[in-house]
C-alpha cells in the first residue's frame, strides 16, 4: 500500500519536481513505518509517479525569496540541468513558469546525494558483506554504522525550509523533528538485508562493528558559508581533517536564522551530477579481556618492558611472556597489560600469584572453549621457566575493576631477607613480632620519584614475624596494606620512611631479597586445574 495520501500530494510533487528521491519524499512527509522504504527503488519511483499523475493542477515551482519573474525564467531556461529532477521525469519550463515533464535517465537526489538510491540496494549490500566475510573476524552478530557527508545536513535543512514554507500556505506546520532522519531510514532498509546476507542479527550492543564512510567531493563546499555566518561553531580539532564536522554543521544550522540561510544557500538545493563515493568500509571488533594470576620466579625480570632513552635494558618481561602468546592466538592488533600492583625487577612473586588482565585490541578470533584456554595456559607455562600463569579465563571489562580495587584496599604478604650492620641475637628481633598495625609515613621513594608524584603516604604494617638466620641476617614475614614500599620500610630511604626497621632496631638495616608471598585479592575466580 502506497504510504502517501492526498494531503501529502502537493509537497510530494514539489519535492519530486525539484529533484528529491522517493525515499526522501517519504521522510519529509513523515512516513515513519519501515515497509515502504524497503521496496526496490525502481518500484518506488514507478509508484510515486503513478501517485502524482492524478494531480490535475499544474505545480508552479516556488523557491524561498524568489527573484523577479523575468530573471527566474531566464535562469531556469539557461540552467535547466541544474534543477534536480528525479527518475524519468526531467522538467522543462513553459511560459507561465509551470513545470512539464520529459523522459530522461535517473538523477541523483538533491537531498541525500544518492544514499537512499543505489546505496540501499542489494548489490551494494553484497559488496559490503564480501568485505566483512574476507576480513577474517569471528562474529555472531554485528552493529552497522554509517558516516554521511556533513553537507547532507545543509541540504536537508534547505529542503525542510522549502516544505515548511509550502505547508505554511495551507496553515500546516512541519517541525524539524517531524522529518524522518536519514540515518534511521537507511538502517530500516539495510539492516534486514545485512542480516539476510550474513546470517546474523543486527545488535546495537554487538562488539563487532561494520562501518561505511561516505563522501561527496562535488558538494563539499556546501557547508562553507556557515563558517562565515557562524564562525564560533567551527573550531579546529587535532584529529579532524576539516572543521566542518557533522556536529559543528548541526550546531550552526540550529543557530542561523532562516532568512540568513536562504540568502546563502538555494532552497531547494541544486542537483548534483554524481552520487556519493564510499571512502572506506571497515570492520573492527571491540576489545576482549583475558585475566589470570602469574608467578614470577626470576630476580632478573621486569614486569613490563624496561626501556630507558629508547634502549631496552632486559630482553623480556612478564607482560611480554604472557601477552605475546595471547596476541597470536586471538589474532589481535595490540594489547594492554595491567595488574594488581607491581613488583620490582629483582622481586619474586610466589604463592597464588598476582592478578593480571590483558586487553586484546581488535581481536579477529574471540570464541574459545575452556579446554582451548587451558591449553593456551599450558603453552605459556612451557615457554619459560621465569613465569607461570594460573586461572587463565575470559572476563568482562567491568570485572577488571575488582582487580584494581586490590591495589590500595587489600593486603599483601611479603618475606624479606634482611642484613644488619651490627651483630644480632634472636632476642634482638622478637619485639618485631609484637608490633601490630604499625602506622608508617612514606615519602615517595627516591628510586620512583621520576614516575610518581612527591607525596607522603601513610601505610599500615599489620603484622610481622621475624626468623633469626645468623648474627647479621634474619628473615622477616610481613603482612601490610597494599601500596607499602617494603624496601624503604627496611632501610628507611635516608629517613624518608619513618619508622623503619633500622630505626626500630637502632642500627643500619638493608634488604637483600624480597618475595611477594600473596596478593590478597579474590579475583579472578580460581579454576580447577
Amino acid at each position: 500500500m502506497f504510504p502517501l495520501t492526498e494531503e501529502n500530494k502537493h509537497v510530494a510533487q514539489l519535492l519530486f519536481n525539484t529533484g528529491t528521491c522517493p525515499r526522501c519524499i517519504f521522510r519529509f512527509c513523515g512516513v515513519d513505518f519501515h515497509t515502504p522504504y524497503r521496496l526496490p527503488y525502481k518500484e518506488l519511483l514507478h509508484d510515486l509517479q503513478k501517485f502524482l499523475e492524478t494531480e490535475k493542477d499544474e505545480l508552479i515551482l516556488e523557491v524561498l525569496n524568489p527573484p523577479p519573474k523575468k530573471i527566474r525564467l531566464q535562469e531556469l531556461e539557461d540552467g535547466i540541468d541544474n534543477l534536480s529532477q528525479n527518475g524519468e521525469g526531467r522538467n522543462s519550463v513553459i511560459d507561465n513558469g509551470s513545470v512539464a515533464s520529459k523522459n530522461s535517465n535517473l538523477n541523483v537526489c538533491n537531498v541525500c546525494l544518492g544514499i537512499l538510491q543505489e546505496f540501499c540496494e542489494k548489490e551494494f549490500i553484497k559488496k559490503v558483506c564480501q568485505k566483512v566475510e574476507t576480513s577474517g573476524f569471528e562474529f555472531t552478530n554485528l552493529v552497522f554504522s554509517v558516516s554521511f557527508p556533513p553537507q547532507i545536513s545543509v541540504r536537508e535543512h534547505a529542503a525542510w525550509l522549502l516544505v515548511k514554507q509550502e505547508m505554511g500556505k495551507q496553515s500546516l506546520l512541519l517541525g524539524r523533528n517531524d522529518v524522518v532522519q536519514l540515518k534511521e531510514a537507511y538502517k530500516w532498509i539495510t539492516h534486514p538485508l545485512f542480516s539476510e546476507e550474513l546470517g546474523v542479527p543486527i545488535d546495537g550492543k554487538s562488539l563487532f562493528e561494520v562501518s561505511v564512510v561516505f563522501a561527496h567531493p562535488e558538494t563539499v563546499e556546501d557547508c562553507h558559508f556557515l563558517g562565515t555566518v557562524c564562525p564560533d561553531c567551527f573550531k579546529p580539532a587535532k584529529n579532524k581533517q576539516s572543521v566542518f564536522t557533522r556536529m559543528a554543521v548541526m550546531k550552526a544550522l540550529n543557530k542561523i536564522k532562516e532568512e540568513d540561510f536562504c540568502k546563502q544557500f538555494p532552497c531547494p538545493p541544486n542537483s548534483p551530477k554524481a552520487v556519493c563515493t564510499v571512502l572506506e568500509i571497515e570492520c573492527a571488533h571491540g576489545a576482549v579481556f583475558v585475566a589470570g594470576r602469574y608467578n614470577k620466579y626470576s630476580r632478573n625480570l621486569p614486569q613490563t618492558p624496561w626501556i630507558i632513552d629508547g634502549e631496552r635494558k632486559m630482553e623480556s618481561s612478564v607482560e611480554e611472556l604472557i601477552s605475546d602468546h595471547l596476541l597470536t592466538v586471538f589474532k589481535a592488533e595490540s594489547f594492554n597489560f595491567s595488574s594488581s600492583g607491581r613488583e620490582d625487577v629483582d622481586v619474586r612473586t610466589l604463592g597464588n600469584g598476582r592478578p593480571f588482565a590483558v586487553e586484546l585490541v581488535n581481536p579477529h578470533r574471540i570464541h574459545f572453549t575452556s579446554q582451548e584456554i587451558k591449553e593456551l595456559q599450558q603453552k605459556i607455562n612451557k615457554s619459560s621457566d621465569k613465569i607461570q600463569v594460573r586461572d587463565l579465563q575470559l572476563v568482562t571489562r567491568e570485572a577488571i575493576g575488582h582487580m584494581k580495587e586490590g591495589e590500595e584496599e587489600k593486603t599483601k604478604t611479603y618475606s624479606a631477607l634482611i642484613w644488619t650492620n651490627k651483630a644480632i641475637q634472636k632476642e634482638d628481633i622478637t619485639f618485631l613480632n609484637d608490633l601490630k598495625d604499625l602506622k608508617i609515613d612514606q615519602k615517595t621513594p627516591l628510586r620512583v620519584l621520576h614516575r610518581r608524584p612527591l607525596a607522603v603516604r601513610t601505610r599500615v604494617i599489620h603484622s610481622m614475624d621475624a626468623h633469626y638466620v645468623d648474627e647479621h641476617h634474619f628473615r622477616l614475614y610481613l603482612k601490610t596494606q597494599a601500596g607499602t614500599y617494603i624496601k624503604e620500610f627496611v632501610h628507611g630511604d635516608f629517613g624518608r620512611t619513618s619508622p623503619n626497621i633500622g630505626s626500630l632496631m637502632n642500627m643500619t638495616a638493608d634488604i637483600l631479597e624480597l618475595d611477594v608471598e600473596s596478593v590478597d585479592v579474590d579475583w579472578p575466580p580460581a579454576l580447577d586445574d
Side-chain angles (χ1 to χ4, degrees):
M1 179 176 160
F2 196 68
L4 300 183
T5 64
E6 288 296 319
E7 188 181 78
N8 306 129
K9 185 169 288 186
H10 194 65
V11 166
Q13 184 73 68
L14 173 65
L15 289 171
F16 188 68
N17 284 346
T18 58
T20 307
C21 73
R23 291 182 176 118
C24 280
I25 290 173
F26 290 171
R27 294 195 300 119
F28 281 92
C29 289
V31 177
D32 59 0
F33 48 102
H34 307 183
T35 307
Y37 292 91
R38 292 173 179 166
L39 293 173
Y41 185 78
K42 288 184 179 179
E43 185 176 334
L44 280 178
L45 188 60
H46 175 268
D47 290 349
L48 178 62
Q49 288 174 322
K50 187 175 181 181
F51 171 73
L52 295 177
E53 280 175 6
T54 58
E55 181 73 57
K56 299 299 182 185
D57 299 326
E58 289 182 326
L59 175 70
I60 299 177
L61 175 61
E62 298 187 46
V63 295
L64 303 183
N65 300 321
K69 182 177 179 183
K70 182 176 180 181
I71 297 176
R72 182 171 79 248
L73 288 175
Q74 185 62 44
E75 286 179 351
L76 289 172
E77 288 168 354
D78 292 345
I80 189 65
D81 288 340
N82 291 330
L83 267 179
S84 167
Q85 285 76 34
N86 210 324
E88 297 173 359
R90 173 155 301 234
N91 301 329
S92 62
V93 178
I94 51 181
D95 290 341
N96 64 357
S98 63
V99 181
S101 178
K102 292 182 180 179
N103 290 334
S104 75
N105 295 325
L106 180 110
N107 288 278
V108 182
C109 176
N110 65 337
V111 178
C112 72
L113 304 176
I115 295 292
L116 294 184
Q117 291 173 294
E118 67 176 69
F119 295 110
C120 290
E121 301 301 297
K122 285 188 176 182
E123 184 180 349
F124 175 70
I125 302 302
K126 284 184 177 181
K127 288 181 181 178
V128 177
C129 291
Q130 286 171 1
K131 173 87 173 182
V132 174
E133 289 168 342
T134 57
S135 67
F137 283 94
E138 284 184 350
F139 59 95
T140 54
N141 50 30
L142 65 89
V143 58
F144 178 58
S145 65
V146 287
S147 175
F148 298 135
Q151 59 263 40
I152 286 182
S153 297
V154 178
R155 289 174 164 267
E156 284 190 328
H157 194 77
W160 169 63
L161 291 177
L162 177 72
V163 174
K164 179 183 174 185
Q165 186 191 60
E166 192 62 35
M167 291 180 67
K169 295 175 182 177
Q170 305 171 47
S171 299
L172 297 173
L173 296 176
L174 180 69
R176 192 70 184 87
N177 293 332
D178 295 329
V179 180
V180 174
Q181 293 297 307
L182 173 62
K183 193 167 286 189
E184 285 299 303
Y186 190 74
K187 288 180 178 179
W188 292 345
I189 303 164
T190 57
H191 279 189
L193 297 176
F194 274 114
S195 289
E196 181 183 353
E197 190 70 24
L198 294 172
V200 298
I202 303 292
D203 183 353
K205 295 181 180 180
S206 174
L207 290 177
F208 181 60
E209 179 181 20
V210 178
S211 60
V212 180
V213 178
F214 293 98
H216 198 263
E218 180 188 342
T219 60
V220 73
E221 295 184 359
D222 282 1
C223 304
H224 291 188
F225 76 95
L226 291 171
T228 304
V229 181
C230 306
D232 57 322
C233 295
F234 301 94
K235 305 294 183 183
K238 291 182 181 179
N239 300 325
K240 302 292 184 182
Q241 294 181 343
S242 170
V243 296
F244 296 102
T245 63
R246 180 183 172 278
M247 293 300 293
V249 168
M250 290 303 298
K251 185 177 178 181
L253 291 175
N254 289 331
K255 185 175 182 180
I256 191 172
K257 294 180 180 178
E258 291 182 8
E259 55 267 29
D260 292 336
F261 180 92
C262 296
K263 290 175 184 176
Q264 299 282 342
F265 195 83
C267 302
N270 296 326
S271 283
K273 296 177 182 178
V275 297
C276 283
T277 58
V278 178
L279 274 188
E280 60 185 40
I281 301 171
E282 286 196 346
C283 302
H285 200 289
V288 296
F289 298 84
V290 177
R293 301 177 81 99
Y294 73 80
N295 291 110
K296 172 175 168 288
Y297 301 122
S298 170
R299 296 195 187 278
N300 196 33
L301 182 69
Q303 188 196 61
T304 55
W306 193 358
I307 300 171
I308 300 176
D309 296 330
E311 183 180 346
R312 177 184 276 271
K313 295 298 180 182
M314 293 191 175
E315 65 178 22
S316 191
S317 64
V318 173
E319 172 186 296
E320 291 165 298
L321 290 174
I322 296 172
S323 301
D324 285 353
H325 289 279
L326 300 179
L327 198 67
T328 300
V329 172
F330 281 78
K331 299 179 181 177
E333 287 183 2
S334 59
F335 67 85
N336 296 304
F337 182 91
S338 59
S339 63
S340 182
R342 58 188 297 134
E343 67 283 315
D344 291 337
V345 62
D346 57 351
V347 176
R348 298 186 302 177
T349 299
L350 308 176
N352 287 331
R354 185 185 297 278
F356 72 90
V358 180
E359 176 187 15
L360 294 153
V361 180
N362 201 25
H364 285 59
R365 185 183 176 193
I366 56 169
H367 298 127
F368 293 87
T369 65
S370 57
Q371 180 60 34
E372 286 173 325
I373 295 293
K374 187 177 291 186
E375 290 171 359
L376 176 57
Q377 175 175 297
Q378 292 169 353
K379 184 178 181 181
I380 294 171
N381 291 339
K382 288 178 181 177
S383 68
S384 173
D385 59 0
K386 295 181 179 182
I387 64 149
Q388 293 276 285
V389 299
R390 67 179 68 199
D391 301 331
L392 197 68
Q393 57 196 277
L394 288 163
V395 296
T396 64
R397 183 190 295 271
E398 292 73 25
I400 294 176
H402 297 300
M403 178 187 73
K404 305 308 285 185
E405 288 170 6
E407 289 190 3
E408 296 293 337
E409 299 177 8
K410 303 296 182 179
T411 60
K412 295 182 181 179
T413 305
Y414 301 88
S415 69
L417 180 60
I418 297 173
W419 168 88
T420 60
N421 68 326
K422 296 179 182 178
I424 59 171
Q425 301 298 322
K426 289 183 180 180
E427 296 76 25
D428 296 326
I429 60 174
T430 54
F431 79 97
L432 294 173
N433 301 344
D434 298 327
L435 296 176
K436 305 298 180 185
D437 295 327
L438 173 68
K439 288 188 177 181
I440 64 173
D441 292 325
Q442 293 196 303
K443 189 178 286 187
T444 304
L446 292 172
R447 64 188 173 89
V448 299
L449 201 52
H450 66 284
R451 58 181 171 87
R452 295 292 299 271
L454 179 61
V456 177
R457 301 171 179 85
T458 299
R459 293 291 183 260
V460 178
I461 309 298
H462 295 293
S463 64
M464 289 182 278
D465 184 15
H467 292 239
Y468 183 81
V469 177
D470 59 39
E471 61 182 10
H472 285 285
H473 301 89
F474 69 96
R475 186 166 291 279
L476 184 65
Y477 294 90
L478 313 89
K479 187 170 187 178
T480 74
Q481 178 183 353
T484 304
Y485 291 105
I486 304 301
K487 291 178 178 179
E488 283 67 26
F489 172 61
V490 173
H491 59 61
D493 198 25
F494 301 100
R496 297 169 72 86
T497 290
S498 180
N500 55 69
I501 293 295
S503 66
L504 290 170
M505 296 180 66
N506 196 25
M507 63 182 70
T508 299
D510 205 352
I511 188 165
L512 302 181
E513 291 179 355
L514 179 63
D515 293 328
V516 180
E517 296 288 349
S518 71
V519 180
D520 300 328
V521 179
D522 297 327
W523 189 90
L527 301 178
D528 294 330
D529 290 334

